[in-house]
Amino acid sequence: MFKTNQSLFKLFWICMCLVSVNVFAQSDYRNNNELTNALKQLKSKHSANVKLQSLTKTIGGHDIWALTLFKGKPEDNPAIAIVGGVDGSLLLSREMAVNIAENILTNHKDVLDNTTFYIFPNMSPNASEQYFSKLKYHKLGNAKKTDDDRDGLTNEDTFEDLNNDGLITLIRVEDVTGNYIKLKEDERVMIKANPQEGELGTHKVFSEGIDNDKDGKYNEDGDGGVHFNKNLTYNFPYFQPGAGEHAVSEKEHRALLDFLYEQWNIYAILTLGPENNLSNPLKYNAANARKRVVASILKDDEALNKFLSKKYTKITGTKDAPNANGKGGDFFEWSYFHFGKLAMSTPGWWAPKFKGDSTIKAKKNYKANFLQWAEAEDLSNYFVDWKEVNHPDFPNKKVEVGGIAPFVMTNPPYSMVEDISKKHTDFVLEISKMQPNISIENVTTEKVDNGLTRVTLNIHNKGLLPTHTEMGKRSRWLRRIKVDVKLDKSQEVISGKKIQLINSIDGDSSEELTWLIKGKGSLTIEAGAAHTGADKTTINLK
């Protein structure tokens, strides 16, 4: 009887555990504390292969975490950096960064034999926390108080929730002097009127709120803050709201760049951000490439970007991405133009093109497409129906509040995050397979008169990726390939250089080197760079 009861108890306990897993399964994006706990669990579970450190604390008191995945010494292998949260509203990027790390450690740990990963899940922790507040709106800045409208005051024109739904959307005001109209195919969407197509404006459109400082603008000086993705050095947008007083003005920016500058083994950076050169590869512009401050991807890098784009599209299955180019001061452009790395960027997700009404497709309106896709997916809370309100700034005018809810257009339903993360893990693994990899091949020795030996060999890049991007050849942050002939005191290089530097080697390509060496015994030749890996060979002189 006791054994039977014991068996029933075990069965009951197993069922309760399964129920508990189901009840407490993650159903929405994780806040900063939950992501921090996930990182600490990874460190605890995979302690031999994980280093977790806080680079700094932001003004808002949040840690900027750096997660290093490695075997042996991290600096001994070429490395990929993955940076999430450059845009605080892209919650998906934070999840992807953590999930990619977990996928590698759980299912692909062998990749650490040859590649180190530096992962920074969230560079905008203060901004991303806005998603979890009682009043949701897109917040991009950190906790610094800023005078975005430069009137000597701070936070004097913040958000007001006019329809009390906990979301900041839009207000539209019927006004013949306005320059907006309703989209004909979907009147929920407001677009700018195009006079060249005979369209006359019918509405003014503002962010939901009240013009507290009476300057004709709405919510332009609320929480403020410096945007992470506007504060980098390339094409810094001076005097723009969110840019900061000068480039790299914030603790989190300085901490990240200081860390990256010291990791000479980084050859590639994947930015999980709004810019997207993986779905829409950058195009070379000869005139911009010749400018003193280069404003175009360089010619060889254009071909490399196109090659990677094809890989990305095939692995992730994504297509029809909206255009998303850098707007100045962003991290992705800095990683290419100023850091010289193999620079990749993607938001990871966007609403697929809806295969429905052809009139919507002909209009090519992304918001209308999103609304039709969301309806087909039976999503909830993605749109706030337009509702008329009394507005103190517009007496005797029809004013409505409504529009697409914050966060939903750039962050998929949480149920999709795991699959998106897996596909992007596969892409990252593919990049690691193709990484530059220096080896010494085809070593030959030939005895020459007068005690000389001719040594000839190839410095070969076994990877499909070049050792340096074209921009990287100009950058001080990518070291050239060093070839060093190590001699003893009785040996001498007669012809050739004891130490020589190679600017770059293309994928699956080689450089042939030759020396005349005087002396007997053996010597060692080493070749490589921190971001390409290194090789060495021992040679017996004739």
Side-chain angles (χ1 to χ4, degrees), residues 36-150:
T36 295
N37 288 336
L39 293 173
K40 290 180 177 179
Q41 288 172 16
L42 284 178
K43 166 61 179 171
S44 176
K45 187 176 180 180
H46 305 276
S47 57
N49 303 109
V50 172
K51 180 181 179 182
L52 179 63
Q53 63 189 109
S54 174
L55 299 184
T56 188
K57 279 189 181 290
T58 66
I59 292 175
H62 296 290
D63 286 293
I64 297 296
W65 293 110
L67 187 73
T68 303
L69 313 185
F70 64 97
K71 278 186 182 177
K73 294 181 179 179
E75 64 273 16
D76 285 350
N77 280 328
I80 300 173
I82 301 173
V83 185
V86 298
D87 182 310
S89 67
L90 294 182
L91 303 168
L92 172 65
S93 69
R94 304 150 63 249
E95 298 282 348
M96 286 173 62
V98 176
N99 289 348
I100 288 171
E102 184 175 13
N103 289 341
I104 288 172
L105 291 169
T106 304
N107 302 310
H108 306 283
K109 195 173 283 187
D110 58 331
V111 71
L112 302 180
D113 292 336
N114 301 302
T115 309
T116 294
F117 295 91
Y118 301 110
I119 301 177
F120 312 88
N122 191 9
M123 296 308 303
S124 306
N126 186 76
S128 61
E129 284 296 274
Q130 193 61 45
Y131 177 82
F132 307 97
S133 66
K134 291 182 179 179
L135 184 62
K136 287 189 179 185
Y137 55 87
H138 283 153
K139 179 178 173 63
L140 301 176
N142 62 10
K144 176 177 280 188
K145 290 185 177 181
T146 54
D147 178 16
D148 285 341
D149 59 357
R150 296 182 179 271

Side-chain angles (χ1 to χ4, degrees), residues 202-252:
T202 59
H203 287 76
K204 292 181 177 179
V205 176
F206 305 98
S207 174
E208 181 182 352
I210 296 172
D211 183 11
N212 298 289
D213 54 358
K214 306 304 177 185
D215 64 354
K217 301 176 183 178
Y218 287 77
N219 307 333
E220 83 288 353
D221 203 359
D223 289 345
V226 176
H227 303 187
F228 185 86
N229 219 31
K230 265 190 173 183
N231 192 241
L232 278 300
T233 53
Y234 178 75
N235 195 23
F236 176 69
Y238 291 96
F239 309 119
Q240 286 191 18
E245 291 301 314
H246 58 81
V248 197
S249 62
E250 305 307 295
K251 293 171 64 179
E252 53 268 36

Side-chain angles (χ1 to χ4, degrees), residues 273-282 312 321-322 324-325 332 345-348 350:
E275 296 77 32
N276 190 354
N277 75 321
L278 288 177
S279 296
N280 301 310
L282 301 179
Y312 177 80
N325 297 322
F332 160 63
S345 182
T346 176
W350 49 91

